[in-house]
Amino acid sequence: MNCCYLKAERRIGNLYSIYGKAISRNPIPTIILSVLLNAILGINIKWMQELDDYSTSYLPPNSQANIDAQKVKSSLTNSDFDHMFYHQLNGDEIYGSVVLSVDDNIIHKKYKNEISTFHKTALNIKVKSSDMKIHTIEDLCVKNNGKCFILGSWYLEDYFWDNFEANNITYPYFKDQKRDIYMSNQQFGKVTVRNGVLKSAGSLRMTYYLKQDTAINKALSVQWSKQFVHELNKFKNSSIKLIVTNSETMATDISRNNMWDPPFYVVVFLAIATFSFVATVSGNCLTQRGLLGIAGVLSTVISIVGAFGLCAVIGVEYVNMCSIMPFIILGIGLYNMFVLLSGLNRASVKGTVEERIGSAMRDTGASITISSLTDITALLVGALMTDLTVIRSFCFFTGTAVFLCFLNQMTFVLACAVLHERRVAGSMHCITCQTVYTTDQMKTAHYNNKLTIFCCSGHEPEHSDDLQSYAEMLPAQTLPKCLLNIPVKVIILVLYLGYLTFSIWGTTNLGVGSQLTDVLRQDSVSHEMNNFEKENFGMTTIVSFNIQGNIDYSQSDVHLKVDDMLKSAKTNILFDNKFEINWLKEFNNLYSNANFTEIEFIKKLHVFIEKHPMFKNDIVFDSNKTHVLFSRFYVMTINLKSSSDQQLLFDESHMIARYSSLYVQPFSTQFVYFEQNESVLSKAILQIGITFAACALVSFVLIFDPILILFLIFTVASIIVGVFSLMSMWNINLNLFTTVYVIICTGFSFSFVAYFCNSFIHSQRFDRQGKVNDAIIQTSGSIINSAISMVISIVILLFSQSEMYTSFFKIVLLVILLNVFHTIFVLPVIFSVFGPIYDSMDMKSKQRTSSRTPLFPSRSAATWSITSGGVNAFDNNFKRLKLVSEEKVN
């Protein structure tokens, strides 16, 4: 196995070395081609399409709830908009809605006149059609008993006040003498109820439902609902608090939930550029790599531009979630750059430019490739296994950017590194490109200003420490001394065992499920409305059981099957045990359970519907009006406070439908939201498991050492378990979004851990302690700098008003901290005891193969230029220095 690994490692390393040497011979064309490619792709941004329907983009299009809803709605294409009741709403209505709240009891006549003013304002709203005809709500509203169906308008009628004062208004619903149902729990919030009777309420909801039976009516209804919001918001300063929404408010607020704010990007890019410059700065004006750090940032910027353009070409729609992609790419790009710089540190300082670049690529090419491929793999898994359009688009955009970032790191940044090496080889200043002299030479040339000497002096590197920046040097010099002694090892192992115990325990407390507010800004109207409704109205929903098929409802056994189905629902703890809307039961009560033939039953049923229009939209006949093809029955849930109860309701409703011998489909307007929480944990485990397997396979292809791969998988698993545990402490639930975040971070984790493992196995030392020492020296600075740059790039998300973005920051922060903990502290200790090592013969063979003989012991600036020739940029003082030196020799 050792021999097999060595052969594979040599071949892969040699391929990267050959590639690096090829780039070192052609840096300028490589930079031009890289920039040109990204610019050509970036031009296509002008053709980028943005997702225009956010109302369903955060919902699974092929979910069971959505399929059931489409079947039910397809059976109700001929709904009568003149006889509509609240329980018959299907969730896609056009409406304008206002919630009014007070500190005391809103069911008091002192508020009636003011609320009546709001209502009259709504009734007086006028809109114009294309033929300039004026339309009011009377022309556009859905009707109920000949009047506009306005939920809550009952409050303004004398009938309501007479029954309220007589203590006749029951809760959660009220039936009048005509057996019509008023959903008091949907109209009044923050209620006081005694013995089922409504006593007071802190809020009132009034919703104006509009027609959409024709394209013209739909357009006018949308126009009216927008005008409704505009007019009612004028009363914001009244004594009654108002929250005004319409049917488009949610989609509008979701579409506005993005981080696309140019000042944010400018601040982040400047912060990252500053950090990359500082992290690569040293006190040697010849060898410091501050501008190379800036080049790393520029490579990520052109990658982002190219990714947006490429996705526009292939037809991926832009979604608001993609606005955080640039922050992610900045962190990934700088990680690869820091890894490349660590490879240059290890290369022989006496080698030629071509040799040093080839050596750096031999040592770090696999790590950079693993980093990019694992990230791309994780994003690909996230895109293919999600049901949400927004997540799929986000993963495609980010994956494309990671791929282009990898290409730019291997071309643009590598070519810039070649120019940097040529500048160092030519003894040229890092900024002015003038010839650099040592401090002693400058003092001899009469440069006495200390600042001038500090800013202009430099010396050729004699060993790798001369190439390191301050940020790389500090951890490389201190961590090996601190970590590789027995007491510290024992402490770290004890801490790690405690960490594992805590992580496993904490994972059992991880919450599961999402809320609608997760995808909304906290300052949005929809977020305010959603929270207000939870606190004041609770979460009750009406569930309809829809029976399809040509069924003879005159048969008594059909009656029994329907009764049994509804009885199963009403005896379930999730449903109200009294509420039921059952047209068949009302029909039998009217006709005293008489036995009819099917023909007689249908005739009686038509008469029954005319007398009871409330059931008109609950029964669908065939074209001849002689058979019932579809009918529905209703029950109501209790207040479902938790996401687990909501998920359970979805499951229980479908179980009740399956146990019925009739063809039944349960439906609720809330099911499409409830189903998202179904099996989240099992789906998350499956997706993360597939990501693990794919990333491990990618890593194995390039590392090709099964023992290291096992260490790699165990370490990343330890990190992810720790993330789950800390998520539970930070009140972050596992849902469709956070699952994808964890999948993406799994790719990050493989990058960090694989880098340390690869450095450990590449060490030419013979013992575990020595190999760990080398690995810490090579990786610690890069890992810490990469971690800091990643935090800087995403810290702006912490100030977002959306849980969707702040949870991403929190999860990535946890992953970064745990990666640093594992790769800087835990892995060195574990590898110093259990790390895989080769026998001495294999190691000597590898050492002989990897040795590099310096071709140029001392590199001169006499005949070098940035492209091919030479710069001899002596200023007057240094010319004088040369003359003085010659005179002394003579």
Side-chain angles (χ1 to χ4, degrees):
M1 178 58 72
N2 293 349
C3 181
C4 180
Y5 164 73
L6 287 173
K7 289 181 179 179
E9 187 272 336
R10 288 172 194 151
R11 290 178 180 176
I12 293 173
N14 287 337
L15 288 176
Y16 282 110
S17 179
I18 292 170
Y19 173 78
K21 291 178 180 179
I23 295 295
S24 67
R25 291 191 290 270
N26 303 281
I28 299 299
T30 301
I31 292 175
I32 293 173
L33 287 175
S34 177
V35 173
L36 189 61
L37 172 64
N38 286 275
I40 292 172
L41 292 175
I43 291 173
N44 297 296
I45 290 179
K46 63 181 181 180
W47 288 290
M48 186 167 61
Q49 298 293 320
E50 183 174 2
L51 185 67
D52 57 359
D53 182 15
Y54 280 95
S55 59
T56 58
S57 59
Y58 284 87
L59 300 174
N62 299 318
S63 65
Q64 184 63 48
N66 197 44
I67 293 172
D68 291 345
Q70 294 305 319
K71 289 181 179 179
V72 171
K73 292 174 184 178
S74 65
S75 301
L76 298 170
T77 54
N78 296 320
S79 295
D80 188 347
F81 286 98
D82 289 330
H83 298 90
M84 188 64 68
F85 289 79
Y86 179 82
H87 59 272
Q88 297 170 337
L89 301 176
N90 58 28
D92 57 2
E93 290 78 19
I94 300 174
Y95 63 85
S97 181
V98 56
V99 173
L100 310 107
S101 61
V102 295
D103 295 330
D104 50 358
N105 181 16
I106 202 169
I107 311 178
H108 194 286
K109 289 191 175 181
K110 66 180 179 179
Y111 296 116
K112 182 180 178 182
N113 290 336
E114 192 171 359
I115 294 175
S116 178
T117 301
F118 302 153
H119 179 62
K120 290 177 181 177
T121 301
L123 296 180
N124 291 331
I125 294 174
K126 298 179 176 63
V127 293
K128 291 183 180 180
S129 57
S130 57
D131 59 0
M132 303 307 291
K133 185 178 180 182
I134 303 297
H135 297 268
T136 64
I137 192 171
E138 289 293 334
D139 305 316
L140 302 173
C141 66
V142 171
K143 298 290 177 59
N144 178 307
N145 290 327
K147 300 185 296 182
C148 283
F149 173 39
I150 303 172
L151 181 71
S153 62
W154 180 38
Y155 173 89
L156 299 173
E157 298 175 4
D158 292 336
Y159 177 78
F160 167 80
W161 289 97
D162 293 341
N163 279 278
F164 178 76
E165 291 170 355
N167 291 322
N168 291 333
I169 302 297
T170 55
Y171 188 92
Y173 59 91
F174 169 75
K175 282 187 179 181
D176 63 9
Q177 295 176 349
K178 299 179 182 178
R179 308 288 293 174
D180 288 343
I181 295 178
Y182 295 85
M183 302 302 300
S184 51
N185 67 334
Q186 298 300 322
Q187 299 177 53
F188 296 102
K190 205 172 184 179
V191 297
T192 301
V193 178
R194 295 194 187 97
N195 299 322
V197 176
L198 180 66
K199 293 297 183 180
S200 67
S203 56
L204 168 70
R205 175 163 45 198
M206 299 184 70
T207 305
Y208 301 73
Y209 292 98
L210 306 169
K211 292 180 180 178
Q212 50 179 326
D213 50 342
T214 65
I216 294 176
N217 279 345
K218 185 174 182 179
L220 289 171
S221 295
V222 170
Q223 185 180 349
W224 189 95
S225 67
K226 291 179 179 179
Q227 190 66 22
F228 172 85
V229 173
H230 176 73
E231 293 296 331
L232 268 292
N233 274 330
K234 294 179 180 179
F235 295 97
K236 282 285 187 179
N237 296 324
S238 65
S239 59
I240 300 176
K241 182 182 177 181
L242 282 73
I243 305 177
V244 188
T245 61
N246 62 22
S247 46
E248 294 189 341
T249 300
M250 178 68 71
T252 301
D253 286 343
I254 291 177
S255 66
R256 290 174 178 170
N257 181 27
N258 61 62
M259 296 295 296
W260 187 253
D261 193 348
F264 281 173
Y265 291 95
V266 172
V267 169
V268 172
F269 285 138
L270 289 177
I272 283 292
T274 303
F275 173 77
S276 64
F277 183 85
V278 172
T280 52
V281 160
S282 65
N284 189 343
C285 293
L286 175 63
T287 60
Q288 75 159 301
R289 300 173 291 196
L291 292 181
L292 189 55
I294 300 295
V297 177
L298 291 178
S299 72
T300 62
V301 173
I302 62 176
S303 301
I304 293 165
V305 174
F308 278 119
L310 181 56
C311 287
V313 170
I314 62 179
V316 181
E317 291 182 314
Y318 174 86
V319 296
N320 54 4
M321 196 175 175
C322 294
S323 61
I324 66 174
M325 179 267 281
F327 307 123
I328 302 172
I329 302 304
L330 280 173
I332 293 175
L334 288 188
Y335 167 81
N336 291 337
M337 182 198 71
F338 286 125
V339 172
L340 176 61
L341 293 184
S342 72
L344 288 173
N345 291 342
R346 291 186 65 184
S348 173
V349 295
K350 300 301 182 181
T352 63
V353 171
E354 188 172 318
E355 287 179 325
R356 282 179 51 75
I357 294 296
S359 173
M361 287 305 298
R362 179 186 292 109
D363 289 345
T364 63
S367 295
I368 294 173
T369 305
I370 290 173
S371 169
S372 300
L373 290 184
T374 52
D375 291 338
I376 293 172
T377 301
L379 288 162
L380 185 61
V381 172
L384 296 179
M385 298 197 67
T386 186
D387 295 325
L388 301 188
T389 304
V390 287
I391 293 180
R392 185 177 298 109
S393 294
F394 165 73
C395 289
F396 275 128
F397 267 90
T398 309
T400 303
V402 172
F403 174 70
L404 289 179
C405 187
F406 169 68
L407 291 183
N408 290 330
Q409 292 288 329
M410 300 294 280
T411 53
F412 181 87
V413 175
L414 187 58
C416 289
V418 172
L419 297 183
H420 165 80
E421 289 296 314
R422 287 187 177 183
R423 180 186 60 76
V424 174
S427 296
M428 301 178 69
H429 194 276
C430 62
I431 296 177
T432 65
C433 287
Q434 299 296 304
T435 303
V436 173
Y437 295 92
T438 65
T439 301
D440 292 338
Q441 288 174 327
M442 292 190 71
K443 289 180 178 178
T444 304
H446 306 295
Y447 280 95
N448 298 318
N449 188 295
K450 292 183 179 180
L451 181 60
T452 302
I453 293 175
F454 177 79
C455 294
C456 299
S457 65
H459 59 86
E460 289 188 357
E462 297 179 0
H463 44 77
S464 61
D465 289 347
D466 293 335
L467 297 172
Q468 291 181 329
S469 66
Y470 297 128
E472 294 170 314
M473 193 181 305
L474 182 62
Q477 291 179 351
T478 57
L479 286 175
K481 298 176 183 177
C482 296
L483 297 176
L484 299 181
N485 59 77
I486 293 178
V488 174
K489 287 182 181 180
V490 172
I491 292 172
I492 290 176
L493 286 176
V494 170
L495 288 175
Y496 181 61
L497 290 175
Y499 160 82
L500 282 179
T501 304
F502 168 79
S503 297
I504 295 171
W505 171 80
T507 301
T508 61
N509 298 320
L510 179 64
V512 177
S514 62
Q515 301 293 331
L516 188 59
T517 52
D518 291 346
V519 298
L520 296 168
R521 290 175 58 90
Q522 295 177 8
D523 56 356
S524 66
V525 176
S526 297
H527 191 281
E528 181 184 12
M529 173 67 88
N530 191 273
N531 286 337
F532 185 88
E533 288 185 336
K534 281 183 182 179
E535 295 174 4
N536 290 266
F537 294 92
M539 175 52 73
T540 60
T541 183
I542 292 177
V543 177
S544 64
F545 289 95
N546 305 271
I547 302 176
Q548 293 184 329
N550 188 349
I551 298 175
D552 182 4
Y553 284 91
S554 65
Q555 299 294 319
S556 59
D557 63 326
V558 174
H559 300 185
L560 290 175
K561 291 176 181 178
V562 172
D563 288 341
D564 287 343
M565 177 186 66
L566 295 178
K567 184 178 179 182
S568 297
K570 291 167 63 178
T571 54
N572 191 293
I573 59 173
L574 298 175
F575 290 92
D576 186 287
N577 58 7
K578 295 181 180 179
F579 183 89
E580 176 184 352
I581 299 179
N582 183 345
W583 66 266
L584 188 57
K585 183 177 181 180
E586 296 291 337
F587 178 90
N588 287 331
N589 290 339
L590 179 65
Y591 293 103
S592 303
N593 293 311
N595 292 322
F596 298 113
T597 64
E598 184 177 10
I599 296 176
E600 293 173 336
F601 181 88
I602 295 297
K603 289 181 179 179
K604 296 289 185 180
L605 185 57
H606 284 297
V607 175
F608 171 78
I609 291 173
E610 290 301 320
K611 292 182 179 179
H612 300 82
M614 182 177 76
F615 299 115
K616 192 168 187 178
N617 287 317
D618 293 336
I619 305 169
V620 177
F621 296 94
D622 64 359
S623 57
N624 297 321
K625 305 289 185 182
T626 57
H627 298 283
V628 176
L629 300 180
F630 173 91
S631 70
R632 53 184 176 177
F633 306 86
Y634 305 89
V635 290
M636 185 175 66
T637 69
I638 61 173
N639 185 16
L640 305 171
K641 297 181 179 180
S642 67
S643 58
S644 58
D645 286 342
Q646 296 168 5
Q647 175 189 334
L648 185 60
L649 170 69
F650 178 84
D651 295 335
E652 291 289 323
S653 299
H654 281 79
M655 188 176 295
I656 291 169
R658 282 195 299 269
Y659 284 165
S660 174
S661 58
L662 302 172
Y663 181 60
V664 182
Q665 288 179 322
F667 169 76
S668 167
T669 58
Q670 300 298 316
F671 274 177
V672 72
Y673 303 105
F674 294 170
E675 190 186 12
Q676 288 191 68
N677 298 325
E678 184 184 22
S679 304
V680 168
L681 185 59
S682 59
K683 290 179 181 178
I685 293 173
L686 175 63
Q687 293 177 15
I688 294 172
I690 292 175
T691 305
F692 257 85
C695 291
L697 180 61
V698 169
S699 303
F700 182 74
V701 169
L702 293 171
I703 294 179
F704 206 72
D705 188 306
I707 298 177
L708 275 183
I709 293 299
L710 290 176
F711 275 108
L712 181 63
I713 293 174
F714 175 80
T715 305
V716 176
S718 173
I719 292 171
I720 298 304
V721 171
V723 169
F724 283 153
S725 176
L726 293 173
M727 282 172 60
S728 67
M729 293 188 61
W730 216 337
N731 294 324
I732 303 174
N733 282 357
L734 187 67
N735 53 48
L736 296 177
F737 292 97
T738 55
T739 297
V740 172
Y741 298 161
V742 173
I743 287 174
I744 294 173
C745 291
T746 301
F748 294 167
S749 301
F750 269 92
S751 303
F752 279 79
V753 180
Y755 178 38
F756 182 88
C757 293
N758 206 35
S759 300
F760 174 86
I761 210 65
H762 271 98
S763 171
Q764 297 178 13
R765 304 283 284 274
F766 299 105
D767 62 305
R768 292 187 177 95
Q769 193 89 348
K771 292 170 78 67
V772 168
N773 185 81
D774 286 354
I776 293 174
I777 290 173
Q778 181 182 355
T779 64
S780 58
S782 301
I783 289 174
I784 292 173
N785 289 336
S786 300
I788 295 173
S789 65
M790 179 68 82
V791 173
I792 293 174
S793 66
I794 64 170
V795 71
I796 198 74
L797 299 179
L798 183 61
F799 303 99
S800 169
Q801 293 288 325
S802 172
E803 181 67 23
M804 184 171 68
Y805 299 137
T806 56
S807 63
F808 179 81
F809 167 80
K810 293 174 182 178
I811 291 174
V812 173
L813 179 64
L814 293 176
V815 169
I816 291 171
L817 294 176
L818 291 179
N819 268 284
V820 171
F821 171 66
H822 280 77
T823 54
I824 299 297
F825 298 98
V826 177
L827 274 182
V829 174
I830 293 177
F831 273 38
S832 68
V833 180
F834 304 107
I837 58 173
Y838 297 102
D839 56 54
S840 58
M841 185 174 295
D842 287 332
M843 285 304 304
K844 288 177 181 178
S845 173
K846 181 178 178 181
Q847 192 172 19
R848 286 195 300 269
T849 304
S850 302
S851 64
R852 294 178 293 275
T853 303
L855 299 180
F856 298 95
S858 179
R859 295 177 292 180
S860 172
T863 58
W864 182 88
S865 74
I866 212 165
T867 54
S868 63
V871 171
N872 210 353
F874 294 98
D875 62 15
N876 292 330
N877 284 350
F878 286 108
K879 287 180 181 179
R880 184 167 65 251
L881 170 63
K882 184 178 180 182
L883 292 174
V884 170
S885 300
E886 289 176 352
E887 289 176 358
K888 289 181 178 180
V889 171
N890 293 331

